[in-house]
């Protein structure tokens, strides 16, 4: 069985490759999903911005593989907007709270799950 840089085998989850590729300081590492989720949670604790995904239930901000990063406190979806080429979308505003109690805010199109968040003064 293949061993990744984290010392574990790929995660047999049925999605993707079973591992995440983490790039830092120009060096790429392959990590199993639980180790990649733990690394991402540490990144969230150490920084004032992060990118995650709104889960399908709209209750949490998660990693690509589904590891929970923050609990969604509020989601507001704005009025329809139009792109210069005639495309239509609605802006989604999200407020979330991480386990350490920090409040985060972000926005993005409601057509995509990915969202960038930054800390908000409490």
């Amino acid at each position: 069985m293949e061993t990744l840089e984290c010392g574990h085998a790929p995660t047999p989850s049925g999605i993707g490759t079973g591992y995440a590729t983490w790039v830092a300081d120009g060096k790429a590492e392959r990590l199993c999903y639980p180790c990649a989720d733990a690394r991402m949670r540490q990144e969230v604790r150490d920084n004032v911005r992060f990118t995650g995904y709104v889960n399908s239930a709209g209750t949490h901000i998660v990693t690509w593989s589904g590891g929970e990063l923050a609990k969604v406190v509020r989601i507001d979806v704005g009025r329809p907007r139009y792109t210069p080429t005639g495309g239509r979308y609605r802006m989604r505003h999200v407020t979330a709270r991480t386990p350490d109690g920090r409040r985060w805010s972000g926005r993005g199109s409601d057509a995509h799950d990915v969202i960038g968040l930054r800390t908000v003064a409490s």
Side-chain angles (χ1 to χ4, degrees), residues 5 17-24 27-33 36 39:
E5 281 84 355
T17 59
Y19 64 86
T21 302
W22 191 274
V23 179
K27 181 183 175 218
E29 294 179 276
R30 295 177 312 147
L31 307 172
C32 67
Y33 292 152
R39 180 90 54 100

Side-chain angles (χ1 to χ4, degrees), residues 15-69:
I15 60 170
T17 59
Y19 64 86
T21 302
W22 191 274
V23 179
D25 300 322
K27 181 183 175 218
E29 294 179 276
R30 295 177 312 147
L31 307 172
C32 67
Y33 292 152
C35 287
D37 291 348
R39 180 90 54 100
M40 187 62 195
R41 282 190 280 278
Q42 185 62 48
E43 286 288 312
V44 170
R45 282 190 293 272
D46 293 346
N47 291 287
V48 296
R49 294 181 186 184
F50 77 94
T51 301
Y53 301 86
V54 178
N55 70 352
S56 59
T59 58
H60 289 88
I61 305 298
V62 298
T63 64
W64 178 84
S65 60
E68 292 180 5
L69 300 172

Side-chain angles (χ1 to χ4, degrees), residues 46-117:
D46 293 346
N47 291 287
V48 296
R49 294 181 186 184
F50 77 94
T51 301
Y53 301 86
V54 178
N55 70 352
S56 59
T59 58
H60 289 88
I61 305 298
V62 298
T63 64
W64 178 84
S65 60
E68 292 180 5
L69 300 172
K71 181 179 169 78
V72 171
V73 176
R74 181 178 179 154
I75 294 181
D76 293 312
V77 179
R79 62 177 175 72
R81 298 176 183 215
Y82 298 91
T83 67
T85 58
R88 184 177 170 182
Y89 70 99
R90 296 186 313 167
M91 189 63 71
R92 175 175 51 191
H93 300 268
V94 176
T95 303
R97 192 167 299 274
T98 49
D100 63 5
R102 286 195 293 170
R103 203 173 97 199
W104 298 78
S105 180
R107 65 183 180 154
S109 168
D110 71 336
H112 305 287
D113 297 331
V114 69
I115 191 160
L117 295 112

